[in-house]
Amino acid sequence: MSAQTDLFAVPRRHPALLQVEALEALLQRWQERNWIRALDLALARFLRQLDPDASPLVLLAAVLTSHQLGRGHICADLDNLLSAPDAALSLPPDGEFGEALPDRPAELLQGLDRTDWLAALQASRLVSREDTAAPLRLEPDSTRLYLYRQWRYEVEVAAGLHARLQALPVDEPALRRQLQGLFGGVEGRLDWQQLACALVAGRRFGIITGGPGTGKTTTVVRLLALLQSQARAGGRNLRIRLAAPTGKAAARLTESISGAVGSLDEPLQQGIPREVTTLHRLLGARPGTRRFVHNADNPLHADLVVVDEASMIDLEMMHQLLQALPRQARLILLGDKDQLASVEAGSVLGDLCAEADRGGYDAQTLARLQRLTGLDVAAWQAAEGEASTQPLAQSIAMLRHSHRFGADSGIGSLARAVNSGQPEDVHRVLAQGFADLAQLRLQGAEDRALERLVMQGGPQDAAAQGYRHYLQRLQAERPSQADAAALDDWARQVLEAFGRFQLLCALRRGPWGVEGLNARIAGALAQAGLIERTEGWYEGRPVLVTHNDYGLGLMNGDIGMTLARPDDAGETVLRVVFPLADGSLKWVLPSRLQAVETVYAMTVHKSQGSEFAHTALLLPPAVNPVLTRELVYTGITRASQWFTLVLSHPARLDDAVRARVRRASGLRLRLTGTDLVPDQYNV
């Protein structure tokens, strides 16, 4: 064959696509480099046992689908994998590819044709059909490949939500009077909180979304007062349950709900619960299993369930919640659609609220809102939004006015600039000199300015505080005797002081990740004489629970503090104290905690549902697929009073602002018939 002919030759397939043994050897190398999980490799071997004649193309597709699930995607989009394999797979997870590393996904897939890959899957007995179950599921007339369980979750969640999208009859004159009594009139702008109540009061399923400080909790408390008043007028009381995905989020909502309920007139306070539980406790998690006490055969005793921080709900948990919800019960989700999606697979709130900015209300909805509130939301939608006839859009209310972050707030301005997706907007805000914003430019990995930040939180005369503050409070407020009430008061003060500052980062491994930064910060605190050691258990060590512990009643995401407290015999013993959702404290022996890690630094993902007076967000210097707009936005909005952006390479901020999270899923398509616009796939 001539050289000229070679130029037009069809690319040869990688040997791993031709022989199963070669594929398994390559996957083994991927697993050793942490490009895939041991679980992904085990799946390939299991499927080969089920079908010894399985094509390498099918086994590879299964491994990539499993890998995608581990990175948060419900399915693998084969078209996306073929068009940009390295980016789509986010490989390797914590850094750039080295130039010399062989066997990159792009090398493996460059000779693979989409038609051939689909044909191999369609012919395989490992792929389910309409009338058979199998480990994999290829969606008809698409390139979305699922593990069968995730496909079933998605189908059933879509069906469960669709069944709840119908409008409910309401007594409009009574509701209009109640809305007027709760909200009155607001001059000069639309009252989005009142509109949200008017909208969701007439739906069996509703979503109230909005950024920090837009009043989601206040709105839902007023909505509960309306619905409870309507129920009592009919001679009954609604059984209302409040929940959140994590213990920390539940504790925050308990506090804010109590304040919001207390602001109502006393008759309206009746029947509104103040206690918030975690979703796992609400459903009755069974330790060691994926099952819950409450399910389709044993539904919850509830007429209305409200779930806060809904951006953290993964697809499987949403499936379990809908299964346990009585057929006639209402479901209301609260959350910020612009935050990071759940740590586990799926981005339920993001999928449902993808077009919430536009309003999307039909003529019937607009007319009803006008009758109930007297507010002309139709004019707003005509000018700034877009009409829609989608049933889902009629159940979503977006709050658009922040009461916490006004025009003079740097934190609010920066969060809005990040959401714009325009790096120049972000730099413009950072250059304006807001008192609640700061930047720290590190001159490399060893720059000691990072230690000064985490110790002090800012200049010596600044109000923003670092970790020195809680450790000094720990010593200054220590009780001298084993008095239970005094010890609890001391623990609360230390926990509150620790919550004044938190360092957030994007990665887990490496010098710019949680592991490296926690060791570095502990070393700096020990060198300053603030802690006595850096390894094992020591007083002042903050810890994060990383897996649910039902025996202790601690949930993934709970934060505790290690304290040395006197016992009844006068001996000093170490205990770890955790704040619970009901406001009480739990003291635990360190030896009983099996799944915890030090938490001077935590990932932005783990920070969801939390709020800190001062948050510092550190972005790594290398290009990384986890750096996205949602990650930066979530990090910024964890701060209530001060925010510090820590960079060693300014271009990474621009990269992150331009990149969006797009998790592969068919949920929105199943609910609306239209999919999201394809974008790059991140985690």
Side-chain angles (χ1 to χ4, degrees), residues 315-609:
L315 181 68
E316 182 175 358
M317 179 56 74
M318 180 59 73
H319 176 266
Q320 302 288 11
L321 175 61
L322 289 171
Q323 289 289 304
L325 203 62
R327 184 180 301 275
Q328 298 304 314
R330 296 176 186 246
L331 175 63
I332 300 172
L333 304 181
L334 306 180
D336 186 344
K337 70 180 182 62
D338 295 315
Q339 282 190 30
L340 278 170
S342 61
V343 175
E344 303 299 330
S347 55
V348 175
L349 189 70
D351 288 347
L352 299 180
C353 297
E355 298 182 356
D357 298 86
R358 304 178 184 179
Y361 301 129
D362 60 24
Q364 184 177 0
T365 298
L366 292 171
R368 187 163 62 88
L369 291 175
Q370 173 78 35
R371 291 195 303 271
L372 290 172
T373 67
L375 299 172
D376 192 0
V377 70
W380 171 87
Q381 182 168 275
E384 301 185 37
E386 186 175 316
S388 171
T389 59
Q390 290 290 347
L392 176 62
Q394 317 315 310
S395 292
I396 301 174
M398 181 171 172
L399 307 180
R400 301 166 194 270
H401 176 74
S402 178
H403 302 274
R404 183 190 309 168
F405 300 130
D408 60 343
S409 166
I411 295 173
S413 298
L414 186 60
R416 290 189 290 271
V418 167
N419 271 343
S420 76
Q422 303 299 320
E424 54 270 24
D425 292 349
V426 175
H427 292 295
R428 190 177 302 115
V429 171
L430 290 172
Q432 288 181 21
F434 285 103
D436 56 350
L437 291 182
Q439 283 189 82
L440 176 60
R441 295 286 181 87
L442 300 179
Q443 305 302 313
E446 302 303 319
D447 192 334
R448 295 295 115 183
L450 180 61
E451 279 80 354
R452 292 192 292 274
L453 170 68
V454 298
M455 294 274 283
Q456 301 294 344
Q460 291 288 348
D461 59 348
Q465 293 158 329
Y467 290 139
R468 182 186 294 275
H469 172 64
Y470 90 86
L471 290 165
Q472 290 175 334
R473 289 285 297 275
L474 184 155
Q475 296 295 340
E477 308 294 336
R478 183 192 304 276
S480 58
Q481 298 180 350
D483 177 80
L487 289 169
D488 280 357
D489 288 343
W490 172 51
R492 288 190 174 91
Q493 291 179 35
V494 175
L495 287 165
E496 187 276 334
F498 178 72
R500 300 290 295 172
F501 177 79
Q502 182 64 58
L503 178 65
L504 303 179
C505 52
L507 308 177
R508 286 205 53 81
R509 292 189 288 273
W512 302 101
V514 165
E515 295 172 2
L517 289 168
N518 275 321
R520 179 174 176 177
I521 295 168
L525 294 174
Q527 187 174 8
L530 294 169
I531 58 175
E532 63 180 16
R533 55 190 297 187
T534 62
E535 301 290 337
W537 288 100
Y538 54 87
E539 186 172 39
R541 180 192 178 195
V543 294
L544 176 76
V545 177
T546 58
H547 290 93
N548 294 338
D549 188 327
Y550 301 105
L552 292 176
L554 298 176
M555 297 293 119
N556 184 8
D558 287 350
I559 294 177
M561 178 62 62
T562 310
L563 298 175
R565 55 174 287 175
D567 63 12
D568 293 336
E571 298 290 331
T572 299
V573 293
L574 286 180
R575 295 288 189 274
V576 186
V577 60
F578 293 89
L580 301 181
D582 62 2
S584 64
L585 298 176
K586 177 179 283 291
W587 295 83
V588 182
L589 279 168
S591 59
R592 298 188 65 192
L593 296 171
Q594 303 302 314
V596 294
E597 61 186 28
T598 304
V599 69
Y600 298 118
M602 73 165 67
T603 62
V604 177
H605 261 114
K606 286 289 189 181
S607 74
Q608 292 187 92

